[in-house]
Amino acid sequence: MSIHEDENLLLMSIYGKYQGLLRRIAKALNVPDIELDDVVQETFISYFQNYSLTWTDARKKSMLIKILKSKAIDCLRRNGHYEKVSLDEEDAVSEMPGFVVTDPLDVILGEEALLRIASGIFSMREEWRELAILYFLEQRTIPEICEKLKIPGTVCRSRIYRTRVCLKKILGPSFDIR
């Protein structure tokens, strides 16, 4: 056998030994099924071009996994890990109901709970209502709320406490208002 044939046998044995493991790891890293083979192949190509074929099995395996992780990240970045939706276009959001949630509260509390919260907030005194919207729904910080409402921090904290107590009375003990 020639040196070239020996090298090919060595390449094939490394590929045969580690390709199943690399496929499982790539799948665990959320590489899309359609890209799985490409990412694994790119991993082997990178290894074969840049690293020794005579390393110990542990060292080969470690380097292949390191390369695979890098290739998986590149794949996810290249293909976009998440759906891209413009926040300016409400139509785009409504066309993808299974992928995009317009308000996380819908998922956490459900529609009925949102209605109860909204009616509770809108039945509050004016200064509590505005603060409740800013703090609980828009999740603004206390300094931002103080600046917007032009009130001191102690007054803001006091109103947050009172609105929290009021919301707990309206919503009942099953809701945790933070």
Side-chain angles (χ1 to χ4, degrees):
M1 276 211 259
S2 71
I3 295 175
H4 187 66
E5 289 173 342
D6 286 341
E7 188 176 80
N8 280 342
L9 285 175
L10 185 56
L11 292 173
M12 287 174 36
S13 73
I14 293 171
Y15 181 83
K17 186 172 187 174
Y18 295 110
Q19 65 93 14
L21 172 68
L22 294 179
R23 286 180 59 78
R24 287 190 301 275
I25 293 171
K27 194 133 179 94
L29 293 172
N30 297 320
V31 172
D33 290 340
I34 197 165
E35 298 284 337
L36 210 57
D37 290 331
D38 292 340
V39 169
V40 171
Q41 295 300 324
E42 289 172 14
T43 300
F44 279 109
I45 291 169
S46 179
Y47 179 84
F48 293 154
Q49 288 176 343
N50 299 300
Y51 300 99
S52 173
L53 301 178
T54 59
W55 280 355
T56 64
D57 285 347
R59 194 167 178 194
K60 285 179 206 169
K61 180 179 174 182
S62 149
M63 184 53 69
L64 283 166
I65 291 171
K66 186 174 184 177
I67 295 168
L68 176 77
K69 287 179 179 178
S70 176
K71 297 292 181 184
I73 289 169
D74 291 346
C75 173
L76 293 173
R77 283 185 184 144
R78 187 173 52 244
N79 294 325
H81 189 65
Y82 301 103
E83 287 290 331
K84 295 178 180 83
V85 177
S86 170
L87 296 177
D88 297 330
E89 300 176 20
E90 291 182 26
D91 294 337
V93 173
S94 64
E95 290 174 7
M96 299 171 46
F99 300 103
V100 177
V101 177
T102 58
D103 186 358
L105 290 174
D106 290 340
V107 173
I108 297 168
L109 301 174
E111 199 170 309
E112 183 181 322
L114 278 177
L115 292 173
R116 287 176 55 199
I117 291 171
S119 68
I121 288 174
F122 287 107
S123 68
M124 292 179 176
R125 294 178 10 195
E126 173 94 28
E127 66 262 5
W128 291 5
R129 181 179 347 155
E130 193 171 4
L131 184 121
I133 291 169
L134 292 171
Y135 187 76
F136 294 109
L137 298 180
E138 293 182 11
Q139 296 184 343
R140 302 245 185 135
T141 64
I142 290 176
E144 289 175 328
I145 295 169
C146 292
E147 185 179 325
K148 180 160 177 93
L149 300 179
K150 297 180 181 18
I151 58 174
T154 54
V155 172
C156 182
R157 286 181 192 83
S158 174
R159 287 182 185 172
I160 288 171
Y161 173 76
R162 285 184 254 149
T163 43
R164 185 177 284 129
V165 169
C166 184
L167 282 173
K168 282 183 181 181
K169 285 179 186 174
I170 293 168
L171 299 174
S174 62
F175 290 97
D176 183 27
I177 303 296
R178 294 176 190 234

